[in-house]
Amino acid sequence: MTPRESLSFVVNGERVEVPVASADTLLEVLRYHLGLTGTKQGCDKGDCGACTVLVDGRPILACCTLAREVADRAVTTIEGLAGSDGPSRLQRAFDQAGALQCGFCQPGMMLSASALLSRHPRPTTDQIKAALAGNLCRCTGYTKIVAAVELAASDPPLATSVQLGPAADGRIMVGAPARKPDAIAKATGAARYADDITLPRMAHGVILRSPHAHARIVSIDVGPALALEGVYAAMTGEDLAITFGIIPWTPDETVLARGVVRYVGEGVAAVAARDEATARVAAAAIRVEYEPLPAVLSPAHAMADGAPLVHTHDWKGRPREDNVCKDVSLEFGDVDQALARAAVVVEGEWHYGGSTHAAIEPHCAVASWGPDGDLTVHSSTQVSHYLHRELAKVLELDPARVRVIAPTVGGAFGGKSEPFDLEFCAAFLARRAGRPVKILYSREEVFAAHRGRHPMDFKFSLGLDADGRVAAVDSDVIVDGGAYHSFGLVTTYYAGQLLTGPIGFGTYRFRSRRIYTNKPACGPKRGHGSVQPRFPLETALDEAALALGLDPIEVRRRNALGNGATTINGFRLGSCGIRECLDRVEAASEWKRRYHAMPPNRGLGVATSMYISGTAYPIYPNEMPQSGVVVRADRSGRLTVFSGTNEIGQGSSAMLAAVVAEETGVPVERITVVAGDTELTPVDLGSYSSRVTLMAGEAARQAGAALGRAMTEALAEHAGVGLDQVTRALGTWHAGGRPYPTADVLVLAETKFGTLATTGGFRTIRVGGDYRGGTIGASPAYSATAHVAEVEVDPDTGVVVVAKIWAAHDCGRAISPIAVEGQIEGSVYMGFSEAMLEGWEFRDNGLPVGPNLLDYRIATILDTPVIEAMIVEEPDPNGPYGAKEAGEGPLHPAIPAIANAIRHACGARLRHLPFTPERVLAAIRAAAANADQRR
Amino acid sequence: MMRLPEVRVHVPASLAEAVALHSRHPGALYLAGGTDLIPNLKHRLYDTSDLISLSRILPVGVAVADGEVSLGAGSLLVDLIEDPALRTHLPALAEALALVAGPLHRNRATLGGNVMLDTRCLYYNQTPAWRAALGHCLKKDGDFCHVIGSGKRCVAARANDSAPLLMALDAQLDFLTAAGPLVVPIRRLYAIDGRFPGHCHTPPSALLTGIRVPAPRGLRRATYRKVRRRAAIDFPQLGVAVALEQDEVGRTASLVVVLGALMPEPRLVKQLDFALGRGLDDTVIDRVAAVAAEQAHPQESIHGSSDWRKEVTAVETRRALHSLRVPIGR
């Protein structure tokens, strides 16, 4: 063992003595020796700020500070911000302002803010941004973080109630601005994320990964690893042969590579040891002999004649002949004829570069086996239920003996929405080692796991009639899939199917092909599959409108679909508030006054989008509810809501509590939500495809309403009044002129009906087009969004500053307006960041250019534009209270709106993401050359 | 999470003891703020098992005397940025240091550490697994530079924001070595080869203790412009420092332009004599900018294409000069 010396320092006002090794960082000592797990680890090496703590009052990076260096100094962690009278004003302000989504970056953020406020009690907005510029947040777009610091620095007392304002339309909770019930735990560092879990005798696992993009595994010898002291178990791909995949039709993955590695970073073996350092040494000691194979890194190469095959056989052992893993063609109407007759046709090639989720929390799983052979896996997952199923399948276990628990999840964005190697490996190694095993991805491993936004190449044509109507859209899409299917079957459809609103098409044709390449598998990133085609559509629409002399907003209005419309591919839009969205961004940006009067090199751009509120059908065919909720009451007047949903920071638990409060009058303060635990909660399919508010919200509404009915009947009987004489408000019901606290009403209900537990379930609503593939992209409801972006272009360097984005989003009904605003702001940020900064790029040998948070740049608070989020409510008949999605749709328009604004500013048309200064400058020159030619 | 290798941390009580420790452990590395050294150690970029902690012994603070601004090498960037004396006498340095990395780095990083910063490269500042998959590089464990496609010279970038400006201002560096004090002009510090050690002309045992900058006189002014993709955290893709001295009617008495982050050695732009003794009008500025760009040879060892960074060199040089010049005939 490493020699340790005693270190003495003061942490949160208390002197501690702790034995440390020379190589221990302050972060490791705080988290793993002192149990102060509120200090987070995000990037390994000083790029993200999640590990920020105060040393002698100054915020510093604990991961870049040797523990020895703080001897006798005073360290403050998030646990030390609260006083004896509870959370500090700053912590409560973060809660009240809605600044806490996943919460993972927030302890560091709050410590930076705390240091700022001690020096500048009334900071300016610029001072706040400067002080927080080293703390990356992936959820919030920083908007509510700035608001939270401003609130903390102001005088008014903070709210003590959950509800901060009136509810909507005579309701009692739905529509009310409210704090999130789980926010203060995140603000104080009390929330437990996967890596905060430590179990007795727990070992640490490490997965050894391939250095080759494509190679045959000749041999693996784990012997040298097992020979090391403190190493408990090892495994290879040969130990788990059963294939899996999130889509049941395309199970092309194994836990670890078997025979062939297909991308740099693919797992080949794993070890468990007494600590992570030992496990890393052991993993490095494993001997793997590879025979390198030629790799294909681009779809163009992969589709060329004679290209090496990423998969020579499919999962059933059938030989494959090419690298096309899915090929979809659909045509609606006579596109060729419509294009021939169009007044203007814009056509060309567009390229959407890939991007990754970069949630600040790295994936982590902790697996343990009970004495009776039951497996429990804690994992930072968005899909507890699917993980449950796949664990049982691959490990060949009775599903009834497997339990998956999603603890607090530190951001996901689609990056944690399928099973990953670490969950299987932790479970397998834990069985083999006879002790619990934790596996925590390094940041580089998070990049290898990927499942991020697919790069797509488009050959795209759009034709407008003389009156500005979209006569035809023709899109040929090549989707760069990476080495495995992931959600690829769905992605291939989404790349075409989700494009047909809120702008209606006269005719439409798309061909979409997803191609295997020797890179990490792409998958669903926020706005799965449909963010990419928005880019050619909305920029081509702009070009076409310009050619016709039409205002960009006006052309979108003319083509806007309305409530009850059916898209050309057969999707019914219950509600579609795109017109109001356009009106709102037009007014807020003062478009009419400013569009033709912008200063040089400054421009405005508009774009729209539509997105699903969940997929109509479950991933695996079944007739059971897609989401179930149980509400049970106890005699204290408290309700517990059980739901299989995964709270990933988006606010699903708060939403469930608000819905149940609405239906029962029981205040949110008295509602506990138990979520994402497959043993305790009824099934929900998971937090993906923006399904939770509509589906779990509806299930909760039913369960809450059933309990509400029982309460009504019991109180009416008790008070001797008719059912219509019973009214409810939050905390108190009324009957016969008398108030009854909800706790008393629950006692009456339990007395009358017996033990109180009610259920609700969302069942599939049959929707979609009547053709093969017509259900993929079909959803119970569709959101609509419009953005206006304002940019300033430096014509000498090509540097673009996105100054502001106005985003109006139709979410049907905002059950929690603060949470909806947060989703809009975070979506806008993420779209902006991938448009301007993020590049998912590889070297010729298949190595990612920079799989870390310094080389892969996500926007800081200083880069992020001012974001003005506007909620539009066009209630949908299929949503609870009319609610639709808000978490993904608002991302889409950011990218084309920025591109259109750059065009407006300087004439440069960008058809290649991201919009680097190099590309912008080249586009400026191309535009100038074109203008010269025309003269 | 990524852990440090096994290391011994020595905590000397004095600078002399620190240097003596280095003599006993020749491969040892000096540790000041650690914001770059620690990530590099986590990446296993150095074959050392000894760190010599300087955090409690390095001189700190700013002193102005005898026409010189003296800066303790251990001064934290955050303290220098806010230091009233520095803001009065060398505002450009305070402003340049405010552009280093992010606020959390600046709260621990030292000026001495920034001056002595290792060079950076996209093929070097990566994990051991990544570099092994690459087959290593000239700068560490390999014999081939992936940037220029040969095995002759390491072209990692000198990506420290302090260097161009301190070179423009002709700073002197005070080192302590086992043989006694050593003064090195910063213009002679950086090597043309980016390999570590050796990227600086001083021996690895030399301990930087202080930085002395001639105090500006009259109308001598300086500025530093940094180009990076994000407004915080990022290293420069290009740094342009200009020191300009003009007389009261706007004639240029001296002009120094230094380009950073392009190559292992910041580039002191030559052949600017044509600009001396005359007003700095737009024509002259454009010519200076063109000469600077001509002498810029950006290597793609860091982010940003070579062509673009070369072109922006002219733009930023022009902007720097515009921001500094005294109107002709004032």
Side-chain angles (χ1 to χ4, degrees), chain B residues 33 74 97 101 141 169 211 217 227 230 244 268 273 299 318 322 330:
Chain B
L97 298 179
D141 296 337
L169 295 169
I211 295 97
R217 302 179 312 276
V227 174
R230 293 184 295 183
L244 173 69
L268 192 72
D273 288 352
Q299 299 294 336
R318 200 160 57 230
H322 276 286
R330 191 184 69 173

Side-chain angles (χ1 to χ4, degrees), chain A residues 206 257 371 467 497 520 526 655 719 735 755 774 805 894 900:
Chain A
V206 164
D467 62 356
Q497 286 285 71
R526 201 172 198 172
M655 180 276 296
T755 302
I805 294 180
N900 290 336

Side-chain angles (χ1 to χ4, degrees), chain A residues 2 22-25 27-28 32 41 44-47 49 52 58-61 63-66 68-71 73 112 119 130-131 133-136 211 276-277 280 440 444 794 796-797 799 836-837 843 845 847-855 857-860 862-863 916-918 921 925, chain B residues 1-11 31-35 38-39 42-43 51 53-56 76 78-79 82 102-108 120 122-123 125-127 129-135 227 229-235 237 300 303-305 308-309 311-312 315-316 318-319:
Chain A
T2 311
S22 273
D24 285 340
T25 60
L27 176 61
E28 289 163 281
Y32 304 126
Q41 195 293 119
D44 290 324
K45 59 177 194 70
D47 301 328
T52 304
R58 270 193 175 147
I60 59 107
L61 297 158
C63 77
C64 290
T65 303
L66 287 181
R68 292 278 303 269
E69 296 282 278
V70 302
R73 302 217 190 265
S112 286
R119 300 188 61 209
N135 295 90
L136 298 178
E276 195 178 340
R280 291 219 174 269
L440 167 68
E444 187 163 282
D794 183 334
D796 297 330
T797 63
V799 170
M836 301 309 302
L837 290 168
R843 302 286 180 200
N845 57 358
L847 269 177
V849 164
N852 60 73
L853 291 182
L854 186 60
D855 292 319
R857 291 171 295 259
I858 63 177
T860 73
L862 288 172
D863 304 295
T916 60
E918 286 93 331
L921 198 56
R925 303 236 159 104
Chain B
M1 82 177 73
M2 202 154 58
R3 264 185 65 86
L4 284 166
E6 296 301 322
V7 285
R8 277 175 297 190
V9 181
H10 306 273
V11 187
L31 169 69
T35 52
I38 299 289
K42 286 185 176 182
H43 277 163
L51 300 180
S53 169
L54 305 176
S55 59
R56 290 167 203 237
L76 298 180
V78 64
D79 291 334
E82 295 171 1
L104 301 166
H105 303 94
R106 296 194 296 270
N107 281 346
R108 257 193 93 67
R120 295 190 64 79
L122 281 162
Y123 296 94
N125 296 94
Q126 303 291 349
T127 65
W130 193 100
R131 288 182 288 109
L134 176 75
V227 174
R229 289 299 303 279
R230 293 184 295 183
I233 301 175
D234 289 347
F235 285 92
Q237 295 174 287
E300 294 187 359
H303 292 282
S305 78
W308 181 78
R309 281 155 67 213
E311 186 163 353
V312 173
V315 176
E316 295 299 337
R318 200 160 57 230
R319 289 176 181 175

Side-chain angles (χ1 to χ4, degrees), chain B residues 14 21-22 27 40 42 49 52 113 118 127 130 132 144 166 175 186 213 222 232 235 250 268 305 309 317:
Chain B
S14 67
L21 273 165
H22 202 286
N40 288 355
K42 286 185 176 182
S49 52
I52 301 172
D118 192 4
T127 65
W130 193 100
F144 182 81
L166 290 173
F175 289 89
I186 191 169
V213 188
F235 285 92
L268 192 72
S305 78
R309 281 155 67 213
T317 304

Side-chain angles (χ1 to χ4, degrees), chain B residues 129-261:
Chain B
W130 193 100
R131 288 182 288 109
L134 176 75
H136 300 288
C137 79
L138 193 59
K139 188 159 159 64
K140 175 68 181 152
D141 296 337
D143 53 10
F144 182 81
C145 171
H146 300 268
V147 179
I148 54 177
S150 80
K152 294 212 175 71
R153 190 161 66 79
C154 167
V155 295
R158 176 70 52 188
N160 49 350
D161 291 299
S162 61
L165 188 68
L166 290 173
M167 284 180 67
L169 295 169
D170 201 14
Q172 304 291 308
L173 307 177
D174 292 319
F175 289 89
L176 193 60
T177 71
L182 174 71
V183 179
V184 178
I186 191 169
R187 289 182 185 174
R188 283 197 232 133
L189 178 68
Y190 300 118
I192 198 168
D193 191 300
R195 271 175 272 198
F196 186 96
H199 67 116
C200 290
H201 285 308
T202 46
S205 63
L207 172 56
L208 178 63
T209 58
I211 295 97
R212 287 178 288 117
V213 188
R217 302 179 312 276
L219 288 170
R220 181 167 177 223
R221 294 187 295 169
T223 191
Y224 174 70
R225 296 182 68 86
K226 175 174 183 171
V227 174
R228 55 180 164 180
R229 289 299 303 279
R230 293 184 295 183
I233 301 175
D234 289 347
F235 285 92
Q237 295 174 287
L238 165 69
V240 177
V242 176
L244 173 69
E245 192 170 356
Q246 290 175 291
D247 67 17
E248 63 286 351
V249 292
R251 281 185 308 233
T252 300
S254 72
L255 171 65
V256 185
V257 178
V258 182
L259 311 174

Side-chain angles (χ1 to χ4, degrees), chain A residues 467-479:
Chain A
D467 62 356
R469 294 198 180 274
V470 177
V473 172
D474 187 6
S475 178
D476 189 337
V477 196
I478 299 295
V479 182

Side-chain angles (χ1 to χ4, degrees), chain A residues 240 243 510 615 847 935:
Chain A
L240 290 172
T243 64
F510 74 87
T615 58
L847 269 177
R935 272 192 210 110

